[in-house]
Amino acid sequence: MIIQNKQRLSISLFFFISGICFATWTSRIPTIKIMFALNEAELGTLLLALPIGSLIGLPISGWLVSRYDSRVPLGIAFFISCVCLAFIGFSQSVLAVAVALCLFAFTMKIFSVSVNTQAIALQKQYDKKILGVMHGLWSGGGIIGILISTLMVYLNISYRFHLLSVAVITALITLLLYNHLLRNDRSPSGNKLILGRPDPYIFYLGVLVFLAAVCEGGMFDWSGIYFQEVLKIKVFTYGFLIFMICMTMARFMSDYVIKRIGMSATYIISALCIITGIGLTVFFPIAWIAMAGFSLVGIGTAAIVPISYSLAGFSNKYSPGMAISIIATYAITGMLVGPPMIGYLAHTFNLQISFILFAICGVMIIPVSQLLLKHQRSLAAAEEEHA
């Protein structure tokens, strides 16, 4: 039991510090925009480096967790991502920033697949769901990252010192935690990608994660710009901060909520929160109303990824690591489409109108989630007939 608790603590801390690292980068996007005098379209193009790096990392991550214990790629990838975070701060040109971002996303994707594989393996040792709490810790780390960024912006402390200090501290924590991760968690089967007609179960999960990723990634990358340029708020991290606080609170409660009202209702309520939140933000561009809208979007996006990743562990076709790797492909595609698309729409129309894209994704979550659950019930019925 002591070993199990150490494993849970270590995995939890990795979720937490990775949230800090990610929020450290995303909260300083407005700084980069000003530093290199980028317009919305140019910033959108720069942000393509993230999904490109992640897409390159996906097949490698699936191969690594099928060949080695997931703690090996987890530890190595996260340590390198800390180094890349520091490089982002010291880059002297847009091209250098793009390269650093691509490498950062590449290693973070390997880490993400590995740490979720660890979490699913650990969850099987408990009688209750814990993945929602794990993702809540990631969001909690994001809040700490944003608070640190807000303080740095308020005190006018160097952007480079900010990224370097976070990178060094999290790299040292990685070295301390590595030996306490799960061992021997490599699945003996389901580790090969089967080409052909997509598995409907994985496909529906993937589409849901895609829609959530468009909203989540867009809010990560553009919330600061929205507060800076549309609402004219000097401390531009406020919107991102309230979004992350509400996402974190909702993720910590997600496992309980699912148990109380079921997955179907959770998906529907999540979608309605996204739609309502974006409506408030777009049609009432006043600071406190936008804060309320961002809060609702945070609540709405909170549960979708943890639910979907948790359901991936029950695939009868793939191992948990491979299933997550496949679903993560959809997530990265969402990241690929979302933030750059917001940039291009904002450049063509304006930033307010571009945010309607998130509401459209929220609407689509409702029918897709119901198709997923209907398919899941049919699979369960088929298994009962064969039993």
Side-chain angles (χ1 to χ4, degrees), residues 24 35 221 257 283 336 386:
T24 297
M35 185 182 298
D221 291 355
V257 170
F283 296 110
L336 179 67
H386 289 297

Side-chain angles (χ1 to χ4, degrees), residues 13-27:
L13 286 173
F14 267 115
F15 271 98
F16 184 73
I17 62 174
S18 65
I20 292 176
C21 286
F22 188 77
T24 297
W25 138 247
T26 53
S27 62

Side-chain angles (χ1 to χ4, degrees), residues 26 43 67 75 105 111 140 173 208-209 217 220 228 230 349 358 380 387:
T26 53
L43 180 60
R67 185 174 178 83
F111 164 80
I173 294 173
L208 286 169
V209 169
F220 288 156
Q228 184 183 56
V230 176
F349 302 102
F358 303 145

Side-chain angles (χ1 to χ4, degrees), residues 141-380:
I143 292 173
I144 298 301
I146 301 163
L147 286 173
I148 294 170
S149 297
T150 302
L151 182 63
M152 294 287 184
V153 171
Y154 181 77
L155 297 176
N156 200 28
I157 293 174
S158 167
Y159 155 75
R160 292 184 174 88
F161 175 80
H162 175 198
L163 267 62
L164 177 63
S165 59
V166 171
V168 170
I169 293 170
T170 51
L172 291 174
I173 294 173
T174 301
L175 297 176
L176 293 173
L177 296 178
Y178 178 75
N179 285 329
H180 300 296
L181 293 169
L182 269 73
R183 301 167 185 263
N184 302 317
D185 66 331
R186 189 170 76 91
S187 178
S189 61
N191 292 316
K192 291 184 177 180
L193 179 64
I194 302 171
L195 299 177
R197 185 173 178 266
D199 177 36
Y201 182 72
I202 296 295
F203 173 74
Y204 290 135
L205 286 173
V207 173
L208 286 169
V209 169
F210 167 84
L211 295 169
V214 171
C215 298
E216 200 171 318
M219 293 298 287
F220 288 156
D221 291 355
W222 288 99
S223 59
I225 305 295
Y226 194 92
F227 264 63
Q228 184 183 56
E229 297 188 357
V230 176
L231 304 178
K232 310 299 181 184
I233 305 295
K234 182 179 179 181
V235 183
F236 52 76
T237 55
Y238 285 160
F240 190 16
L241 178 60
I242 193 68
F243 169 78
M244 289 297 292
I245 288 173
C246 291
M247 176 185 280
T248 301
M249 293 171 61
R251 277 186 169 165
F252 278 123
M253 296 174 61
S254 64
D255 292 330
Y256 173 78
V257 170
I258 293 166
K259 185 177 179 180
R260 293 285 296 177
I261 67 174
M263 288 189 179
S264 178
T266 302
Y267 273 124
I268 291 172
I269 292 171
S270 296
L272 292 176
C273 284
I274 293 171
I275 297 165
T276 304
I278 292 299
L280 289 173
T281 301
V282 171
F283 296 110
F284 302 96
I286 302 167
W288 68 270
I289 296 179
M291 293 278 276
F294 276 38
S295 300
L296 284 172
V297 178
I299 293 168
T301 56
I304 296 171
V305 171
I307 292 175
S308 303
Y309 275 22
S310 179
L311 289 173
F314 295 98
S315 171
N316 55 14
K317 188 173 183 178
Y318 295 108
S319 67
M322 183 56 69
I324 290 173
S325 180
I326 295 169
I327 292 171
T329 305
Y330 290 86
I332 299 307
T333 305
M335 293 287 187
L336 179 67
V337 170
M341 183 62 70
I342 292 297
Y344 300 139
L345 288 173
H347 189 66
T348 304
F349 302 102
N350 61 56
L351 196 55
Q352 283 175 260
I353 291 176
S354 70
F355 267 44
I356 293 175
L357 176 66
F358 303 145
I360 294 171
C361 290
V363 171
M364 291 299 297
I365 286 169
I366 296 175
V368 176
S369 65
Q370 300 314 296
L371 286 171
L372 165 70
L373 296 173
K374 181 179 178 182
H375 180 73
Q376 189 181 37
R377 288 192 295 268
S378 67
L379 288 177

